[in-house]
Amino acid sequence: QVQLVESGGGVVQPGGSLRLSCAASGFIFNNYDMHWVRQAPGKGLEWVAFIRYDGSNIQYIDSVKGRFTISRDNSNNALYLQMNSLRPEDTALYYCAKDFGNWANWFDPWGQGTLVTVSS
Amino acid sequence: DIQMTQSPSSLSASVGDRVTITCRASQGLRNRLAWYQQKPEKAPKSLIYDVSSLQSGVPSRFSGRGSETEFTLTISSLQPEDFATYYCQQYNSYPLTFGGGTKVEIK
């Protein structure tokens, strides 16, 4: 079955960097678009970034543009989120999510998430 | 950006009740709307896509309807495992956006 396992979260000071990873299995990774979605503690869901199956199209929410970079390694079935210039408001559980298919832009399934805490 | 407004933000209901959650969009979505269920400490799970299409494995007591800017998720007979938070999401345009969530609690 489809499995998405995030890693790389942790505690970082404001202005610092982190690189999140998502290991994918159980489906043909290079056929599917992928997303990152985050959830601040006790809050709702916020879509962060999208990458087309071949990397040809990338989208971000405005609040992370210029600071975050989404990428993928299809040979290793991995999705990444490089996060620079982190701010306290980036504190959240970050989910990796598979696009349903064919640029659907809705999410199924989701990983279990990795927690990023930005604090001094 | 398309704003998504869910109501109510929370509700209390009993097992067997019929429950309806509303989601309103700030502009027309061309039927590009999904619903998710999230239980505490768990990742969200997709329920419905394209307004009314039931995702595989989702019980038929869940249904969605609506068009353009107003949408509903209905649970026809609430079951104990349905107590959770529900989110709508538009995928008509970037940035993809979610409603604020509706927490369904036990009365």
Side-chain angles (χ1 to χ4, degrees), chain A residues 35 37 39 43-47 50 59 61 95 100 103-108 110-112, chain B residues 1 34 36 38 41-46 49-50 55 87 89-91 94-96 98 100:
Chain A
H35 302 262
V37 180
Q39 186 169 34
K43 302 297 185 182
L45 301 167
E46 181 177 56
W47 169 82
F50 159 85
Q59 303 286 337
I61 194 171
Y95 294 104
F100 181 69
W103 213 334
N105 276 328
W106 59 275
F107 319 112
D108 183 77
W110 305 52
Q112 288 305 301
Chain B
D1 298 5
Y36 301 88
Q38 187 178 32
E41 309 305 317
K42 296 291 187 183
K45 171 191 165 186
S46 63
Y49 62 97
D50 293 349
Q55 175 65 318
Y87 294 93
Q89 179 235 331
Q90 68 81 18
Y91 46 98
Y94 294 109
L96 310 178
F98 292 88

Side-chain angles (χ1 to χ4, degrees), chain A residues 53-109:
Chain A
Y53 68 98
D54 59 356
S56 62
N57 190 292
I58 285 173
Q59 303 286 337
Y60 299 101
I61 194 171
D62 280 352
S63 59
V64 309
K65 282 181 183 174
R67 300 188 300 122
F68 290 12
T69 302
I70 188 172
S71 63
R72 63 191 296 158
D73 179 349
N74 285 345
S75 62
N76 286 305
N77 293 349
L79 177 72
Y80 303 104
L81 187 68
Q82 177 67 44
M83 305 187 296
N84 298 330
S85 302
L86 281 160
R87 305 167 179 168
E89 56 265 34
D90 296 318
T91 294
L93 187 64
Y94 283 74
Y95 294 104
C96 160
K98 173 181 161 291
D99 192 274
F100 181 69
N102 199 24
W103 213 334
N105 276 328
W106 59 275
F107 319 112
D108 183 77

